[in-house]
Amino acid sequence: MDRSIERALGVQRVLEPAGVLPQAAIRLDADPSVGPDEVRIAVERLNLDAASFRQLSEACGGDGDAVRAAVLEIIEARGKMQNPVTGSGGMLIGVVDAVGPESPLGLVPGQRVATLVSLSLTPLRITDGLARWNGRSEQVPATGSAILFGRSIAAVLPDDLPDMVSLALLDVCGAPAATARVVERSGARSVTVLGAAGKSGSLSLAAARAAGATALTGVVRTAAEAAALTAAGLADRVVVADATDPLAVAAAVGQPGDVTVVCVDAQGAEHGAVLATAEGGTVVFFSMATSFSAAALGAEGMAADVTMLIGNGYTPGHAAMALELYRRNQGVRALIDPRVRPTGPHDPRVHA
Ligand code: NAP
């Protein structure tokens, strides 16, 4: 392959094994010196992918210090924040502080940006030991450096939203964009969202509505989430079921819908999603906890003629769409804000 394309993809940063792209690498070179087409970001805050954070928390028995130590160990060992179990990363915000002369990204030093490429392929060095993080939230105040390649993407942070909100929205902005695209292209009218009261779930409901869907069902796990989603007014129908229990999902959803969007952060939602989808319909697996084999073999085993899409984190215009859905939708704000906004000076999510 052309050397300049290899560089744009970040191949020069791969230490091990040779010949793979950064996402598949076991270890990256996180040296903060920038190459001619690279950009360095002074890191302010990481947003760990929800599936990764849940896995780490569960593996550490909810012990925040152990979670912090595990995250530091991963970054130290791999030169990037890629959870070895889920394979997923997250993204970060920070300030552009060095731009190589041949960088095509159009960024200038001093700009505050969010990276829209996964932490699972972003060279990352942490210099503060994550001392301001208690290991109990997906958002991690951090100091260090990260490197963007020629083909990376980043969004300049909007002035009108708090960083914590922008970071959370931009982390999951692929979900509403993918949902809107499927609804628009297929002319789907009924859309079911699993994990509907979460960040990507609530945005996907709002995106489906804006794209023309008229029968929206939100599946949530608890009565409290059902009450919150009902009050938010994003779904026409709210049902309670454990997304990892396929028969419970099928019973709760009833008549299968045209499109199902999987936005839970737990493993085992594949079969319920297939059962919730009508013949000829589409399942969008946005969740990073999705198993390809469970989805493919499950659909085959149920003789279900459904199209299954992997929720690509990137769709053109995805960042602007998520920010706009948040700005315009009181219901989206009502569900997302309590998950990301600090509630007081002692809240662990406050940026110290
Ligand atoms: P989130 O805000 O934590 O929302 C997840 C929702 O799923 C929560 O409401 C959660 O309920 C619910 N849930 C968990 N287990 C459930 C179960 N068994 N039954 C029913 N509901 C359940 O997470 P998010 O940030 O939107 O992320 C959602 C997924 O998207 C994660 O898997 C994440 O890894 C993935 N993701 C994918 C991409 C991509 O590019 N494809 C990018 C970013 C994130 P509780 O709050 O009660 O636990």
Side-chain angles (χ1 to χ4, degrees):
M1 189 189 272
D2 183 320
R3 271 291 152 91
S4 64
I5 298 176
E6 285 188 13
R7 278 203 63 86
L9 295 170
V11 171
Q12 70 283 4
R13 291 279 178 171
V14 174
L15 293 178
E16 190 192 340
V20 302
L21 296 180
Q23 220 266 336
I26 293 169
R27 202 157 60 90
L28 296 181
D29 175 4
D31 187 326
S33 325
V34 282
D37 60 350
E38 293 179 339
V39 169
R40 184 176 65 230
I41 309 290
V43 176
E44 293 182 348
R45 183 174 283 265
L46 311 177
N47 189 104
L48 301 183
D49 166 74
S52 169
F53 179 69
R54 179 181 285 270
Q55 187 279 327
L56 286 165
S57 287
E58 288 175 1
C60 296
D63 177 346
D65 290 340
V67 174
R68 184 176 54 229
V71 169
L72 277 170
E73 202 179 304
I74 291 169
I75 297 171
E76 190 72 11
R78 307 199 67 174
K80 57 178 178 172
M81 179 52 217
Q82 182 177 28
N83 182 319
V85 178
T86 62
S88 56
M91 33 82 77
L92 61 82
I93 57 175
V95 178
V96 176
D97 76 342
V99 180
E102 293 164 26
S103 169
L105 300 186
L107 297 171
V108 292
Q111 277 178 322
R112 301 196 64 244
V113 295
T115 61
L116 296 178
V117 283
S118 173
L119 288 179
S120 62
L121 58 84
T122 304
L124 178 65
R125 184 169 285 180
I126 294 299
T127 54
D128 69 346
L130 303 180
R132 290 170 291 148
W133 183 47
N134 67 4
R136 295 214 169 86
S137 58
E138 288 166 17
Q139 295 207 3
V140 185
T143 305
S145 60
I147 300 294
L148 296 181
F149 312 130
R151 225 165 125 170
S152 303
I153 35 174
V156 176
L157 285 168
D159 295 332
D160 61 324
L161 300 178
D163 286 354
M164 296 169 92
V165 171
S166 301
L167 186 54
L169 294 172
L170 295 173
D171 180 44
V172 297
C173 63
T179 304
R181 182 184 264 190
V182 169
V183 170
E184 276 161 11
R185 286 186 178 170
S186 66
R189 287 295 165 260
S190 52
V191 175
T192 304
V193 177
L194 307 187
K199 299 185 290 295
S200 57
S202 55
L203 285 165
S204 296
L205 281 173
R209 178 83 74 204
T214 49
L216 303 184
T217 300
V219 180
V220 297
R221 180 164 46 179
T222 63
E225 277 193 325
L229 181 57
T230 302
L234 297 176
D236 301 301
R237 203 162 62 96
V238 177
V239 298
V240 177
D242 178 348
T244 65
D245 179 340
L247 299 179
V249 171
V253 169
Q255 177 80 17
D258 300 326
V259 173
T260 302
V261 189
V262 182
C263 291
V264 297
D265 55 351
Q267 293 180 342
E270 298 85 356
H271 297 175
V274 170
L275 283 177
T277 311
E279 289 292 297
T282 303
V283 184
V284 181
F285 286 109
F286 188 70
S287 168
M288 284 291 166
T290 302
S291 154
F292 177 87
S293 53
L297 297 174
E300 177 197 275
M302 293 179 247
D305 176 18
V306 293
T307 300
M308 296 190 287
L309 301 178
I310 295 174
N312 181 351
Y314 174 68
T315 305
H318 62 340
M321 175 191 274
L323 295 171
E324 222 27 51
L325 286 169
Y326 176 87
R327 290 187 185 107
R328 286 193 185 165
N329 260 288
Q330 163 61 28
V332 171
R333 294 197 296 276
L335 289 168
I336 290 184
D337 282 354
R339 289 180 179 268
V340 295
R341 279 179 186 266
T343 54
H346 303 297
D347 189 293
R349 294 166 297 185
V350 174
H351 188 158

